């Protein structure tokens, strides 16, 4: 974290209007939205859940162990919520539902739209569906599917917001991901401090052209923006 903090840029040093808008209206937004407390209470329940589930590899484990490894941290989830709330993407797809914490943050930021989510494990996805019902979040459409196969079924340049969680990164090809994103759409990679997610994030940056990158400590966002003439990268942090 210290290394990140020393190299990060706050709003006082940002010159790009687009990046300034992101810092000002997302990173600097200190509001606690109505959904935050409910989802964090759910997280605590999940972290104590000892029930057994099968992962996509058919390897048995328990819910709390998987959740602690693959669930995005609270700060990352809040930035995700505020990003979706501010930019209002119409088509939202998440890869790597796990137990639905990140999904619920995304869905409660977009209550007038459907959020599509997929996980490779039906056992894990069934638990996520229980959590969606528990919190009364009805705008989520959950599908069990292999991540790469799921992407094959999606029309090119049709996704405005693609959320990629650590559970999905090892199964994805950066070129295939970028191909699906609409112009001015975004790819959000959560928990980029995770080793596998960090490797995928770097691969994604190398693949995209004419895009803007924001590293916000725990997550990376790429905007596929046709008005950006060259690759631009910003490592950002809130000013206080």
């Amino acid at each position: 974290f210290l290394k990140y903090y020393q190299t990060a840029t706050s709003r006082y040093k940002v010159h790009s209007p687009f990046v300034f808008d992101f810092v000002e209206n997302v990173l600097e937004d200190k509001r606690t939205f109505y959904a935050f407390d409910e989802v964090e209470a759910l997280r605590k329940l999940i972290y104590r859940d000892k029930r057994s589930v099968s992962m996509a590899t058919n390897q048995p484990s328990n819910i709390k162990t998987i959740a602690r490894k693959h669930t995005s941290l609270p700060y990352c989830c809040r930035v995700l919520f505020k990003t979706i709330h501010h930019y209002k993407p119409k088509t939202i797809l998440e890869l790597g539902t796990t137990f639905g914490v990140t999904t619920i943050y995304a869905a409660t930021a977009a209550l007038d739209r459907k959020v599509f989510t997929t996980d490779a494990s039906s056992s894990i996805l069934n638990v996520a569906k229980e959590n969606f019902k528990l919190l009364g979040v009805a705008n989520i459409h959950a599908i069990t599917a292999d991540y790469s196969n799921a992407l094959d079924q999606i029309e090119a340049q049709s996704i405005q917001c693609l959320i990629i969680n650590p559970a999905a990164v090892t199964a994805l090809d950066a070129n295939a991901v970028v191909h699906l994103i609409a112009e001015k759409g975004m790819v959000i990679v959560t928990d980029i401090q995770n080793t596998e997610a960090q490797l995928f994030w770097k691969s994604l940056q190398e693949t995209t052209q004419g895009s803007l990158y924001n590293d916000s400590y725990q997550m990376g966002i790429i905007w596929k923006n046709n008005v950006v003439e060259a690759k631009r990268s910003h490592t950002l942090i809130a000013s206080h």
Side-chain angles (χ1 to χ4, degrees):
F1 175 78
L2 289 176
K3 180 180 178 183
Y4 167 84
Y5 194 88
Q6 290 169 350
T7 59
T9 301
S10 72
R11 62 177 170 175
Y12 303 114
K13 297 180 180 179
V14 169
H15 301 291
S16 163
F18 187 88
V19 178
F20 182 84
D21 176 75
F22 174 76
V23 175
E24 186 74 9
N25 292 296
V26 177
L27 295 187
E28 295 286 349
D29 185 349
K30 304 304 179 186
R31 289 178 291 174
T32 298
F33 287 80
Y34 65 94
F36 292 3
D37 289 342
E38 288 186 352
V39 186
E40 289 310 311
L42 173 65
R43 182 195 298 271
K44 291 179 180 178
L45 292 176
I46 294 170
Y47 280 5
R48 295 197 297 266
D49 197 328
K50 298 179 181 179
R51 286 182 292 168
S52 295
V53 290
S54 296
M55 302 178 70
T57 57
N58 293 319
Q59 180 180 355
S61 186
N62 60 53
I63 290 172
K64 69 176 187 177
T65 300
I66 298 171
R68 289 179 183 274
K69 181 178 181 182
H70 292 296
T71 302
S72 297
L73 297 174
Y75 172 79
C76 184
C77 290
R78 290 193 294 268
V79 172
L80 172 70
F81 177 102
K82 292 172 184 178
T83 300
I84 293 173
H85 183 266
H86 180 61
Y87 293 104
K88 297 178 172 52
K90 293 181 180 179
T91 51
I92 304 170
L93 171 65
E94 177 190 47
L95 301 176
T97 314
T98 313
F99 300 112
V101 170
T102 308
T103 322
I104 295 171
Y105 269 102
T108 51
L111 289 172
D112 60 338
R113 284 150 281 162
K114 278 280 187 185
V115 172
F116 295 87
T117 186
T118 183
D119 199 278
S121 166
S122 59
S123 178
I124 288 175
L125 197 63
N126 286 336
V127 177
K129 289 177 180 178
E130 292 176 9
N131 294 331
F132 303 154
K133 186 176 181 180
L134 180 65
L135 266 60
V137 184
N139 61 321
I140 299 171
H141 184 66
I143 307 164
T144 303
D146 172 82
Y147 302 121
S148 56
N149 288 342
L151 293 184
D152 288 341
Q153 307 304 313
I154 299 171
E155 185 179 346
Q157 299 187 14
S158 63
I159 303 297
Q160 292 187 345
C161 178
L162 178 63
I163 305 163
I164 302 174
N165 294 319
V169 292
T170 57
L172 299 177
D173 174 73
N175 286 291
V177 167
V178 173
H179 184 62
L180 301 177
I181 307 304
E183 288 298 333
K184 302 185 182 180
M186 67 181 85
V187 182
I188 300 175
V189 183
T190 64
D191 297 323
I192 56 172
Q193 297 306 301
N194 171 291
T195 301
E196 292 173 341
Q198 191 174 71
L199 290 172
F200 179 76
W201 170 244
K202 290 179 179 178
S203 175
L204 202 58
Q205 286 181 297
E206 292 170 358
T207 300
T208 51
Q209 297 286 342
S211 297
L212 185 68
Y213 317 129
N214 282 314
D215 297 13
S216 302
Y217 181 48
Q218 293 175 343
M219 70 189 307
I221 306 176
I222 288 179
W223 278 275
K224 188 178 177 183
N225 192 331
N226 58 3
V227 303
V228 179
E229 296 179 356
K231 295 184 180 183
R232 302 181 188 177
S233 180
H234 297 268
T235 299
L236 301 173
I237 195 168
S239 60
H240 60 279

